[in-house]
């Protein structure tokens, strides 16, 4: 038997798939027929098991038969695109009668596939058209009033809170360790769990937090960013919640050993001398020892400690600490090595290098020399983030400016993410404008309606990216 969660994701994905097919092909085309058959099939399963089928959009959340649909990163783009499509029509609720047949589905989805007509409020127009077409077994309605308003803002707020609390806990834990205080193990663990849950629920929003720059304390921000990225990548690779917790924990403390290194050495401009380098390259050993001696754990986080020790080892073991016997750098360490390189590249932690844009950072990782990172994990990371990762500010060939909010649901369209328009072709800011799927074609010319011309630096335009991601 299928799990309910899978089926609720399934019905939304199937409906969106059919809408997209109807936008691209005539109704008698095979692609459309298959997509509609899939919708009917999944819908009938749900109707049979649960006696009814209703879809709700509430802010940035979606519900199927009162059950909140978990948006994981793999489905995020599809579901977010479908949510935006329903919103565009002013639809907050869609109800399906158990007697709905294939024809009802085809007519109703075709109406959703059409652009909302200008001039009239979109929901009114849609209701008129559905009535005229005689569709009675699938009905739509406005969003419930209690759900309207600022849910997207609330999501961003929650993500921001999680983020800044994690930075605070990371700082206090690490400072405490320097002073030899018992580590607030429970607090640290709770902070990691919150990060894990928040990343599982709203991955794109949490990834958008990486661009928050209102913290001065670099090393703690780096730790939290690496934790978020690692959990997202671990989830993408199929780790379970327990493993994600261990991974998130290791990521949060991967550089904890650096607190034992004098700031003058850590922040030194220019090359380090031998003695300084020896110190810096010992931070994985220091980290392992610190966690080993830390008090307050019910059980020592061994897998995490190992990852802390191994995070600079490199898959070909050419990194540090130097190893004498052959061994294999563990999975967690391989994940952390990659995500921390990405975060360091997009951030201005070191005054010696300018931060690069997210797409440039992805390019560098893809082109890194063999042996530096695990190729399979690198590929997964690139697939997860897209060529233009979430939070990249882009200029489109239409002259519009936008922020990448999710990778494209189609894994082959890595360079055509979903983009929220934030300035129109005349350069006027439009706040949080519509989300556009860059695989959308212009039916007249048969070409893409929009493509990315280039990425650009938000600081140049005074744009706070995290305001536009949720
Ligand atoms: Fe490190
Ligand atoms: Fe690091």
């Amino acid at each position: 038997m299928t799990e309910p969660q899978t089926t609720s994701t399934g019905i939304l994905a199937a409906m969106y798939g059919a809408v997209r097919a109807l936008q691209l092909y005539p109704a008698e085309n095979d692609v459309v027929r298959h997509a509609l058959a899939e919708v009917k099939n999944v819908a009938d399963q749900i109707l049979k098991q649960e006696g009814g089928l209703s879809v709700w959009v509430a802010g940035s959340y979606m519900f199927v038969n009162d059950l909140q649909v978990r948006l994981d990163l793999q489905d995020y783009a599809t579901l977010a695109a479908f949510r935006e499509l329903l919103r565009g029509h002013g639809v907050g609720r869609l109800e399906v009668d158990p007697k709905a047949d294939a024809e009802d589905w085809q007519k109703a989805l075709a109406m959703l596939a059409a652009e909302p007509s200008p001039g009239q409020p979109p929901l009114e127009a849609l209701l008129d058209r559905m009535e005229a077409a005689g569709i009675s077994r699938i009905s739509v309605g406005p969003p419930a009033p209690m759900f309207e308003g600022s849910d997207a803002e609330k999501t961003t707020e929650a993500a921001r809170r999680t983020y800044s609390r994690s930075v605070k806990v990371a700082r206090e834990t690490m400072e405490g360790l320097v002073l030899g205080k018992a580590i607030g193990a429970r607090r640290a663990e709770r902070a990691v769990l919150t990060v894990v849950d928040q990343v599982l629920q709203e991955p794109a929003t949490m990834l958008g937090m990486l661009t928050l720059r209102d913290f001065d304390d670099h090393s703690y921000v780096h730790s939290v960013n690496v934790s978020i990225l690692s959990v997202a990548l671990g989830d993408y690779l199929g780790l379970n919640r327990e493993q994600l917790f261990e991974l998130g924990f290791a990521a949060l403390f991967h550089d904890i050993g650096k607190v034992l290194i004098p700031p003058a050495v850590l922040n030194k401009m220019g090359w380090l001398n031998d003695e300084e380098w020896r110190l810096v390259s010992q931070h994985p050993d220091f980290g392992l020892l610190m966690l080993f001696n830390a008090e307050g754990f019910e059980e020592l986080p061994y897998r995490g400690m190992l990852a802390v020790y191994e995070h600079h080892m490199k898959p070909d073991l050419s990194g540090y600490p130097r190893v004498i016997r052959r061994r294999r750098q563990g999975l967690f360490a391989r994940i952390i090595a990659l995500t921390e390189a990405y975060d360091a590249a997009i951030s201005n932690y070191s005054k010696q290098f300018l931060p690069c844009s997210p797409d440039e950072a992805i390019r560098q990782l893809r082109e890194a020399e063999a042996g530096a990172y695990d190729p399979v994990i690198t590929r997964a990371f690139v697939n997860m983030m897209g060529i233009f990762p979430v939070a990249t500010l882009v200029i489109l060939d239409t002259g519009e400016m936008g922020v990448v909010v999710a990778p494209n649901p189609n894994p082959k369209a890595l360079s055509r993410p979903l983009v929220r328009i934030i300035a129109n072709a005349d350069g006027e800011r439009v706040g949080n404008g519509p989300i556009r799927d860059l695989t959308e074609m212009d039916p007249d010319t048969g070409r893409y309606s929009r493509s990315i011309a280039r990425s650009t630096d938000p600081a140049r335009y005074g744009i706070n990216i995290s305001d536009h991601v949720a």
Side-chain angles (χ1 to χ4, degrees), residues 148-228:
E148 259 326 77
S150 55
D151 264 55
E153 283 155 37
K154 274 186 223 147
T155 310
T156 319
E157 253 327 290
R160 264 179 214 256
R161 262 204 311 280
T162 302
Y163 189 89
S164 54
R165 196 179 327 119
S166 312
V167 173
K168 192 163 163 251
V169 171
R171 170 187 288 129
E172 288 169 5
T173 315
M174 294 189 206
E175 285 172 353
L177 278 169
V178 182
L179 300 171
K181 277 198 255 165
I183 168 175
R186 281 288 161 73
R187 266 193 87 217
E189 286 171 348
R190 246 187 335 238
V192 174
L193 270 183
T194 321
V195 168
V196 170
D197 287 336
Q198 198 71 244
V199 170
L200 291 180
Q201 283 222 331
E202 282 289 326
T205 313
M206 277 309 266
L207 291 176
M209 295 294 122
L210 303 183
T211 58
L212 273 182
R213 288 286 174 255
D214 18 350
F215 296 90
D216 46 353
D217 222 327
H218 292 159
S219 43
Y220 308 118
V221 170
H222 173 61
S223 307
V224 173
N225 287 358
V226 174
S227 193
I228 292 171

Side-chain angles (χ1 to χ4, degrees), residues 222 254-255 340:
H222 173 61
H254 75 279
D255 274 340
E340 85 141 343

Side-chain angles (χ1 to χ4, degrees), residues 144-342:
M146 59 188 261
F147 286 142
E148 259 326 77
S150 55
D151 264 55
E153 283 155 37
K154 274 186 223 147
T155 310
T156 319
E157 253 327 290
R160 264 179 214 256
R161 262 204 311 280
T162 302
Y163 189 89
S164 54
R165 196 179 327 119
S166 312
V167 173
K168 192 163 163 251
V169 171
R171 170 187 288 129
E172 288 169 5
T173 315
M174 294 189 206
E175 285 172 353
L177 278 169
V178 182
L179 300 171
K181 277 198 255 165
I183 168 175
R186 281 288 161 73
R187 266 193 87 217
E189 286 171 348
R190 246 187 335 238
V192 174
L193 270 183
T194 321
V195 168
V196 170
D197 287 336
Q198 198 71 244
V199 170
L200 291 180
Q201 283 222 331
E202 282 289 326
T205 313
M206 277 309 266
L207 291 176
M209 295 294 122
L210 303 183
T211 58
L212 273 182
R213 288 286 174 255
D214 18 350
F215 296 90
D216 46 353
D217 222 327
H218 292 159
S219 43
Y220 308 118
V221 170
H222 173 61
S223 307
V224 173
N225 287 358
V226 174
S227 193
I228 292 171
L229 284 163
S230 301
V231 170
L233 180 54
D235 179 42
Y236 193 78
L237 291 167
L239 303 186
N240 64 33
R241 189 164 174 269
E242 176 75 31
Q243 293 169 314
L244 292 178
F245 168 74
E246 289 181 299
L247 172 61
F249 183 91
L252 192 62
F253 294 112
H254 75 279
D255 274 340
I256 193 171
K258 283 193 178 167
V259 298
L260 297 184
I261 298 168
V265 176
L266 273 185
N267 303 326
K268 185 178 170 185
M269 300 282 274
W271 295 109
L272 301 177
N273 65 35
D274 284 356
E275 176 56 22
E276 289 163 343
W277 171 245
R278 201 185 55 79
L279 257 178
V280 171
S281 63
Q282 273 181 297
H283 79 268
D285 309 68
F286 294 159
L288 174 68
L289 286 175
M290 287 172 83
L291 289 175
F292 198 75
N293 291 320
E295 291 165 39
F297 287 110
E298 222 156 82
E299 191 187 346
L300 280 175
Y302 289 109
R303 301 236 307 160
M305 289 158 61
L306 189 65
V308 169
Y309 181 66
E310 290 178 337
H311 78 276
H312 286 289
M313 219 167 244
K314 298 195 177 170
D316 63 2
L317 305 178
S318 65
Y320 58 89
R322 279 307 209 179
V323 290
I324 302 155
R325 254 183 301 140
R326 263 210 90 67
R327 60 184 285 152
R328 199 182 135 79
Q329 188 194 27
L331 174 67
F332 288 4
R334 288 169 190 242
I335 292 177
I336 292 170
L338 193 75
T339 55
E340 85 141 343
Y342 176 79

Side-chain angles (χ1 to χ4, degrees), residues 58 64 80 103 124 148 165 178 191 290 321 395 403 414 427 430 436-437 445-446 455:
V64 171
E103 201 191 331
E124 257 172 56
E148 259 326 77
R165 196 179 327 119
V178 182
M290 287 172 83
I395 311 271
V403 174
L414 279 182
V430 295
R436 299 295 186 191
D437 181 337
T445 61
S455 65

